[in-house]
Amino acid sequence: MVGKATLFIVAGFSLIFLIVEYNMGNVSTRAVSNFADYYLNNYAHEAAVSGANFAANEVFFDPSWKKGFTMDINGANVEVTVTNDVFKQTKTLTSVAEYNGVEDTVEVVLTPSKFSKFAYYSRDEGGNIWWMDKDTVWGPFHTQDKLRIAGHPTFYGKVSSLMGMEKYDKSSSANFYGGYESGVNLPMPANGVDDVKAEALKDGVVINKKDNIYVTFNSDSVTIKIGKSETTYLASALAPNGVIYIENAKSVRLQGTVKGSYTVASNKGDIYLDDDIVYNTDPRNNPNSTDMLGIVSKNNVWITNNTANNKDINIDASIYCETGSFGAEDYSSRPVSGTINLLGGIIQDTRGPVGTFSGSKISSGFSKNYKYDDRLLVAYPPGYPGTGGFEVVSWYE
């Protein structure tokens, strides 16, 4: 009996060892197979990413590039195609890589880069104007001038300048939470406002009158007053694509509540903000707000010196002054007028004044409370002037 039991035990252990050995062999085989699959998939993926990067670089140097290409990347065959959506004004780069029978795709969507992405932009910082302790800028910042720092201003977005930085004294230093880059050349276009007219001619409205033109937004409607003639239009019927272009006016007077996405542009007369110009739905309270406004002037945008603006003004817009400035009318002689509460951005040729100060107190004009509209990083008012380049808004792997 003992001999038979021993045989059973030996046979049992032998069977167990055979099963274990079989399983270990399978595990080893699967491990090698999995590693091989991972290597092939990863190789094809990295080749596709490289193709997308090469294509994005082509667009960076030539925004009109649309040829695509086929290339070999260390044994992987990579084909890149370019699709242009004229209606959305987007460019899609599709990079497909094949390596040893394994295929991978990377898709990149780019949209035109607009000056509205900036919280602040200037060509000329206006001489002896400094960014100081209490100054805080949210969002992207660029100047073609020197960035002049006195004390410790704070910048939360990416900051760049063409001519470097100048410090008021040795102790001056800025807080750059989004980074700082010097030597960046990004000039304003000479014909950005003309490009807005081209958009207005597509499906907007062009108003050509040598007069003072008053534009008042009333949520769903827009009232246009020229001389003694005043007409109210359904906003969507007046300018279906949202672009209102005013040509040869003496001045454009703007105010009201904006519902929807619009750009008001003037090619000659300065634009005056006669009262608050705000969104029907505040994006700070409702991220799904589709209200957006571009104020585009060939020359200047002024805060009117009137009774309505003598105690604060609220402005929801991205403001663009191609050859002029954003400033307060009679800034040095008007009374102390409260605060400019701005949601959006200021893009101007020359930094304009909005008030005067004595020490830390306002002597005339306004103090500033500027907040960046984060939606402007990926969206823009219709027809807004562009930088000539593209921005990556989606990278799908």
Side-chain angles (χ1 to χ4, degrees), residues 333-352:
S333 59
R334 70 190 294 158
V336 175
S337 303
T339 302
I340 302 170
N341 297 303
L342 171 75
L343 174 66
I346 297 172
I347 296 90
Q348 57 190 333
D349 178 80
T350 304
R351 184 176 178 179

Side-chain angles (χ1 to χ4, degrees), residues 65-338:
W65 182 77
K66 58 182 180 180
K67 290 182 179 179
F69 56 77
T70 300
M71 66 186 305
D72 181 274
I73 300 179
N74 293 332
N77 182 60
V78 179
E79 182 177 0
V80 173
T81 56
V82 183
T83 304
N84 291 294
D85 189 319
V86 177
F87 179 73
K88 293 182 179 179
Q89 294 186 319
T90 58
K91 189 184 292 285
T92 302
L93 310 176
T94 304
S95 175
V96 180
E98 186 276 329
Y99 181 71
N100 282 2
V102 177
E103 197 172 90
D104 195 90
T105 301
V106 172
E107 186 175 273
V108 183
V109 179
L110 303 99
T111 190
S113 174
K114 301 291 185 176
F115 277 98
S116 55
K117 72 179 180 180
F118 288 106
Y120 179 89
Y121 173 101
S122 72
R123 180 193 62 82
D124 183 339
E125 279 291 270
N128 194 30
I129 300 179
W130 300 77
W131 293 90
M132 304 179 70
D133 277 331
K134 293 184 179 180
D135 290 334
T136 301
V137 180
W138 304 80
F141 175 111
H142 177 78
T143 178
Q144 292 286 92
D145 200 346
K146 289 182 179 179
L147 177 63
R148 296 183 176 88
I149 300 297
H152 307 284
T154 298
F155 302 88
Y156 282 95
K158 172 67 180 295
V159 177
S160 57
S161 66
L162 175 60
M163 300 176 66
M165 187 190 309
E166 181 180 349
K167 296 183 179 181
Y168 186 76
D169 54 33
K170 291 182 179 180
S171 65
S172 296
S173 64
N175 299 308
F176 293 117
Y177 292 119
Y180 170 70
E181 185 178 0
S182 178
V184 177
N185 186 19
L186 185 61
M188 253 182 157
N191 58 349
V193 178
D194 294 337
D195 291 341
V196 181
K197 181 180 179 181
E199 292 299 315
L201 289 170
K202 290 178 182 178
D203 202 17
V205 62
V206 176
I207 301 171
N208 190 341
K209 292 288 184 179
K210 295 180 179 180
D211 207 331
N212 297 312
I213 298 178
Y214 296 77
V215 180
T216 302
F217 284 89
N218 316 295
S219 294
D220 290 321
S221 65
V222 179
T223 299
I224 307 291
K225 181 182 177 183
I226 306 172
K228 295 181 179 180
S229 174
E230 182 177 302
T231 307
T232 298
Y233 304 86
L234 185 66
S236 58
L238 175 67
N241 71 355
V243 182
I244 301 171
Y245 187 85
I246 299 172
E247 200 165 36
N248 298 321
K250 292 180 180 178
S251 71
V252 176
R253 325 292 300 204
L254 185 62
Q255 62 179 302
T257 300
V258 176
K259 185 177 181 181
S261 186
Y262 293 90
T263 290
V264 178
S266 173
N267 78 325
K268 187 175 181 181
D270 289 350
I271 297 177
Y272 289 81
L273 306 180
D274 285 345
D275 203 344
D276 292 350
I277 180 78
V278 296
Y279 296 143
N280 184 73
T281 302
D282 191 331
R284 291 167 293 190
N285 300 327
N286 184 349
N288 295 320
S289 172
T290 58
D291 302 338
M292 188 172 287
L293 177 65
I295 299 174
V296 176
S297 176
K298 184 69 175 180
N299 300 310
N300 304 294
V301 175
W302 301 108
I303 298 173
T304 308
N305 184 7
N306 60 10
T307 302
N309 292 334
N310 280 346
K311 188 178 180 181
D312 300 337
I313 182 170
N314 301 303
I315 306 168
D316 294 348
S318 178
I319 298 171
Y320 176 98
C321 307
E322 191 162 276
T323 63
S325 306
F326 167 73
E329 185 182 27
D330 305 324
Y331 74 94
S332 62
S333 59
R334 70 190 294 158
V336 175
S337 303

